[in-house]
Amino acid sequence: LHDDLHSFPRIGLAFLGVVLGGIFGGIIGFGLARTGCTGDCQAEQLLGTIVGASLAAIGTGIVAVLALRAVSEWNVKTR
């Protein structure tokens, strides 16, 4: 890995993106579980929230790592 990859603003923005992706994924998972269930569905809503947040955070994390690597390689080539 290159030294440019370890700049704090880039890593901070990537972390913020992963957190926001997880939050929005949890909201979507909760909403899907809420609309797909009738009656007392607290366990299903909790499971939908956890699964949605986890999948969204993992996906956003993969994109963030790929973006950081691409920016790092681009900065090395332009010097």
Side-chain angles (χ1 to χ4, degrees):
L1 296 177
H2 303 290
D3 291 336
D4 291 335
L5 184 61
H6 301 292
S7 74
F8 181 72
R10 289 181 189 152
I11 293 174
L13 283 174
F15 179 75
L16 180 65
V18 172
V19 169
L20 285 175
I23 289 171
F24 290 135
I27 291 170
I28 291 170
F30 175 80
L32 287 174
R34 185 174 162 194
T35 57
C37 188
T38 57
D40 185 30
C41 301
Q42 290 181 352
E44 288 84 358
Q45 290 174 352
L46 177 64
L47 182 64
T49 302
I50 291 171
V51 169
S54 299
L55 290 176
I58 290 169
T60 308
I62 291 170
V63 171
V65 167
L66 291 174
L68 285 172
R69 285 185 178 186
V71 168
S72 175
E73 288 179 11
W74 177 68
N75 283 339
V76 169
K77 288 181 182 178
T78 58
R79 286 185 189 169

